[in-house]
mmCIF file of all heavy atoms in Angstrom:
data_model
loop_
_atom_site.group_PDB
_atom_site.id
_atom_site.type_symbol
_atom_site.label_atom_id
_atom_site.label_comp_id
_atom_site.label_asym_id
_atom_site.label_seq_id
_atom_site.Cartn_x
_atom_site.Cartn_y
_atom_site.Cartn_z
ATOM 1 N N ARG A 257 -12.418 -6.434 18.822
ATOM 2 C CA ARG A 257 -13.599 -6.554 17.972
ATOM 3 C C ARG A 257 -13.901 -5.217 17.310
ATOM 4 O O ARG A 257 -14.201 -5.139 16.123
ATOM 5 C CB ARG A 257 -14.789 -6.987 18.839
ATOM 6 C CG ARG A 257 -16.093 -7.103 18.085
ATOM 7 C CD ARG A 257 -17.256 -7.144 19.059
ATOM 8 N NE ARG A 257 -17.390 -8.445 19.685
ATOM 9 C CZ ARG A 257 -18.250 -9.380 19.292
ATOM 10 N NH1 ARG A 257 -19.052 -9.154 18.282
ATOM 11 N NH2 ARG A 257 -18.315 -10.533 19.905
ATOM 12 N N ILE A 268 -17.060 -12.161 12.474
ATOM 13 C CA ILE A 268 -16.749 -12.456 13.865
ATOM 14 C C ILE A 268 -17.465 -13.756 14.241
ATOM 15 O O ILE A 268 -18.685 -13.836 14.129
ATOM 16 C CB ILE A 268 -17.245 -11.333 14.801
ATOM 17 C CG1 ILE A 268 -16.767 -9.971 14.328
ATOM 18 C CG2 ILE A 268 -16.881 -11.637 16.241
ATOM 19 C CD1 ILE A 268 -15.426 -9.568 14.819
ATOM 20 N N LEU A 269 -16.695 -14.743 14.649
ATOM 21 C CA LEU A 269 -17.290 -16.004 15.104
ATOM 22 C C LEU A 269 -16.964 -16.163 16.580
ATOM 23 O O LEU A 269 -15.835 -15.912 17.013
ATOM 24 C CB LEU A 269 -16.720 -17.188 14.314
ATOM 25 C CG LEU A 269 -16.956 -17.129 12.791
ATOM 26 C CD1 LEU A 269 -16.291 -18.316 12.118
ATOM 27 C CD2 LEU A 269 -18.435 -17.083 12.465
ATOM 28 N N SER A 270 -17.966 -16.584 17.342
ATOM 29 C CA SER A 270 -17.717 -16.677 18.771
ATOM 30 C C SER A 270 -17.247 -18.088 19.148
ATOM 31 O O SER A 270 -17.502 -19.062 18.435
ATOM 32 C CB SER A 270 -18.981 -16.317 19.548
ATOM 33 O OG SER A 270 -20.010 -17.204 19.195
ATOM 34 N N GLY A 271 -16.547 -18.164 20.261
ATOM 35 C CA GLY A 271 -16.031 -19.459 20.713
ATOM 36 C C GLY A 271 -15.505 -19.358 22.122
ATOM 37 O O GLY A 271 -15.669 -18.334 22.790
ATOM 38 N N ARG A 272 -14.888 -20.459 22.579
ATOM 39 C CA ARG A 272 -14.285 -20.459 23.905
ATOM 40 C C ARG A 272 -12.884 -21.048 23.811
ATOM 41 O O ARG A 272 -12.608 -21.888 22.963
ATOM 42 C CB ARG A 272 -15.103 -21.326 24.869
ATOM 43 C CG ARG A 272 -16.450 -20.757 25.261
ATOM 44 C CD ARG A 272 -16.980 -21.464 26.492
ATOM 45 N NE ARG A 272 -16.213 -21.149 27.697
ATOM 46 C CZ ARG A 272 -16.308 -19.993 28.339
ATOM 47 N NH1 ARG A 272 -17.138 -19.054 27.912
ATOM 48 N NH2 ARG A 272 -15.596 -19.764 29.409
ATOM 49 N N ARG A 273 -12.030 -20.613 24.709
ATOM 50 C CA ARG A 273 -10.700 -21.201 24.760
ATOM 51 C C ARG A 273 -10.568 -21.958 26.070
ATOM 52 O O ARG A 273 -10.906 -21.448 27.141
ATOM 53 C CB ARG A 273 -9.619 -20.132 24.667
ATOM 54 C CG ARG A 273 -8.211 -20.705 24.855
ATOM 55 C CD ARG A 273 -7.140 -19.825 24.262
ATOM 56 N NE ARG A 273 -7.364 -18.420 24.577
ATOM 57 C CZ ARG A 273 -6.890 -17.418 23.827
ATOM 58 N NH1 ARG A 273 -6.197 -17.680 22.732
ATOM 59 N NH2 ARG A 273 -7.104 -16.172 24.153
ATOM 60 N N VAL A 277 -6.973 -24.693 23.546
ATOM 61 C CA VAL A 277 -7.734 -25.129 22.378
ATOM 62 C C VAL A 277 -8.972 -24.271 22.276
ATOM 63 O O VAL A 277 -9.696 -24.076 23.249
ATOM 64 C CB VAL A 277 -8.141 -26.613 22.502
ATOM 65 C CG1 VAL A 277 -9.038 -27.008 21.325
ATOM 66 C CG2 VAL A 277 -6.900 -27.491 22.568
ATOM 67 N N VAL A 278 -9.161 -23.700 21.071
ATOM 68 C CA VAL A 278 -10.321 -22.854 20.854
ATOM 69 C C VAL A 278 -11.407 -23.677 20.189
ATOM 70 O O VAL A 278 -11.173 -24.326 19.168
ATOM 71 C CB VAL A 278 -9.960 -21.639 19.981
ATOM 72 C CG1 VAL A 278 -11.208 -20.892 19.557
ATOM 73 C CG2 VAL A 278 -9.020 -20.714 20.743
ATOM 74 N N THR A 279 -12.579 -23.690 20.797
ATOM 75 C CA THR A 279 -13.724 -24.367 20.203
ATOM 76 C C THR A 279 -14.724 -23.314 19.763
ATOM 77 O O THR A 279 -15.174 -22.497 20.581
ATOM 78 C CB THR A 279 -14.393 -25.293 21.230
ATOM 79 O OG1 THR A 279 -13.386 -26.114 21.802
ATOM 80 C CG2 THR A 279 -15.459 -26.144 20.563
ATOM 81 N N LEU A 280 -15.028 -23.319 18.459
ATOM 82 C CA LEU A 280 -15.971 -22.323 17.944
ATOM 83 C C LEU A 280 -17.385 -22.844 18.080
ATOM 84 O O LEU A 280 -17.643 -24.053 18.040
ATOM 85 C CB LEU A 280 -15.684 -22.040 16.466
ATOM 86 C CG LEU A 280 -14.378 -21.320 16.151
ATOM 87 C CD1 LEU A 280 -14.292 -21.070 14.655
ATOM 88 C CD2 LEU A 280 -14.259 -20.006 16.908
ATOM 89 N N SER A 288 -4.879 -23.407 19.368
ATOM 90 C CA SER A 288 -4.606 -21.967 19.378
ATOM 91 C C SER A 288 -3.294 -21.679 20.060
ATOM 92 O O SER A 288 -2.798 -22.479 20.840
ATOM 93 C CB SER A 288 -5.718 -21.237 20.126
ATOM 94 O OG SER A 288 -5.257 -19.982 20.553
ATOM 95 N N PRO A 292 -5.313 -16.786 27.857
ATOM 96 C CA PRO A 292 -6.157 -17.181 28.986
ATOM 97 C C PRO A 292 -7.425 -17.889 28.517
ATOM 98 O O PRO A 292 -7.912 -17.637 27.421
ATOM 99 C CB PRO A 292 -6.485 -15.849 29.664
ATOM 100 C CG PRO A 292 -6.196 -14.806 28.651
ATOM 101 C CD PRO A 292 -5.182 -15.341 27.711
ATOM 102 N N ASP A 293 -7.923 -18.753 29.340
ATOM 103 C CA ASP A 293 -9.186 -19.420 29.030
ATOM 104 C C ASP A 293 -10.330 -18.422 29.089
ATOM 105 O O ASP A 293 -10.258 -17.417 29.788
ATOM 106 C CB ASP A 293 -9.454 -20.538 30.047
ATOM 107 C CG ASP A 293 -8.458 -21.684 29.860
ATOM 108 O OD1 ASP A 293 -7.661 -21.600 28.898
ATOM 109 O OD2 ASP A 293 -8.486 -22.626 30.678
ATOM 110 N N GLY A 294 -11.373 -18.715 28.342
ATOM 111 C CA GLY A 294 -12.550 -17.844 28.401
ATOM 112 C C GLY A 294 -13.159 -17.644 27.036
ATOM 113 O O GLY A 294 -12.784 -18.305 26.057
ATOM 114 N N ALA A 295 -14.123 -16.717 26.984
ATOM 115 C CA ALA A 295 -14.812 -16.441 25.724
ATOM 116 C C ALA A 295 -13.859 -15.728 24.762
ATOM 117 O O ALA A 295 -13.128 -14.828 25.161
ATOM 118 C CB ALA A 295 -16.030 -15.568 25.980
ATOM 119 N N VAL A 296 -13.843 -16.190 23.534
ATOM 120 C CA VAL A 296 -12.983 -15.557 22.526
ATOM 121 C C VAL A 296 -13.815 -15.302 21.269
ATOM 122 O O VAL A 296 -14.922 -15.815 21.111
ATOM 123 C CB VAL A 296 -11.776 -16.440 22.150
ATOM 124 C CG1 VAL A 296 -10.841 -16.604 23.323
ATOM 125 C CG2 VAL A 296 -12.232 -17.769 21.611
ATOM 126 N N ILE A 297 -13.254 -14.459 20.392
ATOM 127 C CA ILE A 297 -13.844 -14.317 19.072
ATOM 128 C C ILE A 297 -12.789 -14.633 18.036
ATOM 129 O O ILE A 297 -11.582 -14.427 18.276
ATOM 130 C CB ILE A 297 -14.410 -12.893 18.829
ATOM 131 C CG1 ILE A 297 -13.331 -11.831 19.102
ATOM 132 C CG2 ILE A 297 -15.650 -12.648 19.679
ATOM 133 C CD1 ILE A 297 -13.748 -10.436 18.695
ATOM 134 N N LEU A 298 -13.244 -15.124 16.902
ATOM 135 C CA LEU A 298 -12.346 -15.345 15.783
ATOM 136 C C LEU A 298 -12.697 -14.306 14.722
ATOM 137 O O LEU A 298 -13.873 -14.123 14.388
ATOM 138 C CB LEU A 298 -12.522 -16.754 15.226
ATOM 139 C CG LEU A 298 -11.667 -17.107 13.997
ATOM 140 C CD1 LEU A 298 -11.210 -18.550 14.078
ATOM 141 C CD2 LEU A 298 -12.415 -16.887 12.697
ATOM 142 N N ILE A 374 -7.464 -14.587 16.742
ATOM 143 C CA ILE A 374 -8.307 -14.954 17.865
ATOM 144 C C ILE A 374 -8.083 -13.948 18.987
ATOM 145 O O ILE A 374 -6.942 -13.687 19.393
ATOM 146 C CB ILE A 374 -8.019 -16.394 18.314
ATOM 147 C CG1 ILE A 374 -8.542 -17.321 17.213
ATOM 148 C CG2 ILE A 374 -8.685 -16.710 19.650
ATOM 149 C CD1 ILE A 374 -8.137 -18.743 17.351
ATOM 150 N N LEU A 375 -9.156 -13.325 19.400
ATOM 151 C CA LEU A 375 -9.081 -12.267 20.404
ATOM 152 C C LEU A 375 -9.967 -12.612 21.575
ATOM 153 O O LEU A 375 -10.964 -13.316 21.424
ATOM 154 C CB LEU A 375 -9.574 -10.934 19.802
ATOM 155 C CG LEU A 375 -8.938 -10.499 18.490
ATOM 156 C CD1 LEU A 375 -9.699 -9.317 17.923
ATOM 157 C CD2 LEU A 375 -7.474 -10.151 18.692
ATOM 158 N N MET A 376 -9.584 -12.110 22.732
ATOM 159 C CA MET A 376 -10.480 -12.271 23.875
ATOM 160 C C MET A 376 -11.747 -11.473 23.608
ATOM 161 O O MET A 376 -11.706 -10.360 23.072
ATOM 162 C CB MET A 376 -9.808 -11.737 25.151
ATOM 163 C CG MET A 376 -8.600 -12.534 25.613
ATOM 164 S SD MET A 376 -8.946 -14.286 25.827
ATOM 165 C CE MET A 376 -9.998 -14.247 27.284
ATOM 166 N N ASP A 377 -12.892 -12.033 23.958
ATOM 167 C CA ASP A 377 -14.147 -11.319 23.747
ATOM 168 C C ASP A 377 -14.368 -10.365 24.909
ATOM 169 O O ASP A 377 -14.554 -10.790 26.041
ATOM 170 C CB ASP A 377 -15.300 -12.320 23.644
ATOM 171 C CG ASP A 377 -16.556 -11.650 23.112
ATOM 172 O OD1 ASP A 377 -16.456 -10.461 22.710
ATOM 173 O OD2 ASP A 377 -17.597 -12.291 23.081
ATOM 174 N N SER A 378 -14.327 -9.093 24.616
ATOM 175 C CA SER A 378 -14.477 -8.129 25.706
ATOM 176 C C SER A 378 -15.913 -7.623 25.750
ATOM 177 O O SER A 378 -16.581 -7.613 24.769
ATOM 178 C CB SER A 378 -13.526 -6.959 25.495
ATOM 179 O OG SER A 378 -13.612 -6.517 24.173
#
Side-chain angles (χ1 to χ4, degrees):
Chain A
R257 178 196 283 261
I268 309 273
L269 300 177
S270 60
R272 289 197 69 75
R273 174 158 44 205
V277 175
V278 170
T279 309
L280 292 182
S288 159
D293 291 356
V296 294
I297 54 172
L298 178 143
I374 290 170
L375 308 170
M376 293 306 290
D377 193 7
S378 47

